[in-house]
Amino acid sequence: MTSREKFLSWGLGVGVLSLALAFVREPMQMAMHQAQPTEPTLVLIVLDTVRADHLSACGYERPTSPTLEALVQDGAAMHCQTYAPGSWTFPSHASLFSGLEVPEHGAHFVGDQALLRALAIQPLDGEIPLLAEDLQAQGYQTRGVSGNPVLAEASGLGRGFEDWRVAPGFGPWNGDGLVEQVTDSLRMADLDRPLFLFVNIADAHDPWYPAEEVDWVPSYPGTLAYFEVDDAGQVLPDGPWQRYVQGRMPEPEAQELRQEVTDRYDRALAQSDATLAAVLQTLRDHNWDGAGYRVVITSDHGEFLGEHGILRHGRYLYEENNRVPLLVWDSAGSPTLPSGPLSMLAARELILGQAPAERPVRAVAFPDPLWTEQSGGALGTELSVAVWEGQSKEHWIAGQSMQVDLAQDPLELAPTSSEPSEQVTERVQAAKTSAARQTGEMDPALQDALRAAGYLE
Ligand SMILES: [Zn+2]
């Protein structure tokens, strides 16, 4: 079977025809695609906010990821114990693009009190070489479309992309709106040069807009209101989010909330998976699979659905937040991925056609002054470090080191306290050094972008 036939058979077999038909076909443009680059098309996709253990492609009972499952059936390699190096969108993408761990690239929260009401982040250092720049130097045209507004140009993450598009906000813009942007970018692509396409699909990120109903999860009206803020940007003091994370919600109500959050999140995962199918279909429609393709799909972080007393994501390194999928699908034959924990940094090597480097698997999360304030001090105050070796995890939170055997205790419910290892001690020091380096000043253009996206007042 040729790669073209494989791509077509995927398109037909995966059950996304209804989605594919939603696109405006462009037969004339397809007929014009005679000149073909000889290098494979490289596609890097981040499914934002997707935790591995809620994907059917990783064994979850609900059908949340039929597209990923179909890719695996078509020969893609799937790894379900990959760990994001950061705890939220910005540091993890900075790691993915730079190949550096978070304390080394320094793109994360800053603790400056003056920025307490802002999303206090440090743009990526302009001197750090990025993946898109490397590929551009190799003759690739570089195109990026982000459904997550955190990846605004001023974040420093669009560097190296000839065409970089960022969503103005979550929700309705995504899905078809994102695919329209991908389609538009591909329409402008230079047919003589090989293509590197990056896409962030943010459909799994809250507030989880209503989607078409499915029969495997109850439908809920509107968007989830647990994180409502008042006019001053304060989370409602007696709203569900604050009461839950402060442990003030009675258990029957808490159980109901966890169920709704889980149902909405699972439905959003399926939405994210459908958008993935549509993006791949768009590439096929524009004949970008003609010279072969290498597709790498991963996530930047997961989501807490109430575990450990936490809702949302971004400030802790529990399994729910950091265990993500990693998939490689290569028309020249997908590589075999090593078993056991893998760092998400491997995605960068895989897109370059290299084997994942031997490296420690570890992550760092920085304290977040905004969350600390919003939660009334219940969340966001701690620096955290996690190191995975085999099924053993060392999790250091605010000076306390804990050991977990993930084979026995996959959700870290019964950790045992321990002395911090040398590696953890070194990471804590690296994180503190990185935090001290921060200037605490945010680029005004980034502030504007984040304000437009509703992150800032
Ligand atoms: Zn994210």
Side-chain angles (χ1 to χ4, degrees), residues 104-155:
E104 278 67 33
H105 64 60
H108 52 75
F109 293 119
V110 293
D112 192 309
Q113 292 301 305
L115 295 175
L116 201 60
R117 289 180 191 282
L119 185 70
I121 65 173
Q122 174 77 14
L124 184 65
D125 184 337
E127 299 297 310
I128 295 173
L130 300 182
L131 174 64
E133 293 177 306
D134 292 352
L135 288 168
Q136 210 172 19
Q138 291 177 29
Y140 271 85
Q141 62 183 309
T142 51
R143 297 181 169 274
V145 184
S146 174
N148 189 324
V150 167
L151 307 185
E153 184 96 49
S155 69

Side-chain angles (χ1 to χ4, degrees), residues 1 23 51-52 74 82 217 230 252 265 272 275 292 294 311 430 447:
M1 199 183 254
F23 296 111
R51 57 188 265 188
D74 196 42
T82 296
V217 69
D230 63 19
Y265 177 66
S272 169
T275 301
R294 189 180 302 134
L311 292 165
Q447 274 189 46

Side-chain angles (χ1 to χ4, degrees), residues 112-119 227 229-230 232-237 241-242 245-246 248 315-316 367-382 455 457:
D112 192 309
Q113 292 301 305
L115 295 175
L116 201 60
R117 289 180 191 282
L119 185 70
F227 200 69
V229 293
D230 63 19
Q234 295 290 320
V235 176
L236 300 181
W241 187 82
Q242 263 215 358
V245 302
Q246 292 177 353
R248 290 192 285 126
R315 288 82 179 165
Y316 294 92
D368 171 14
L370 184 64
W371 252 39
T372 303
E373 189 187 69
Q374 287 175 333
S375 67
L379 297 178
T381 57
E382 304 99 338
Y455 273 99
E457 289 304 307

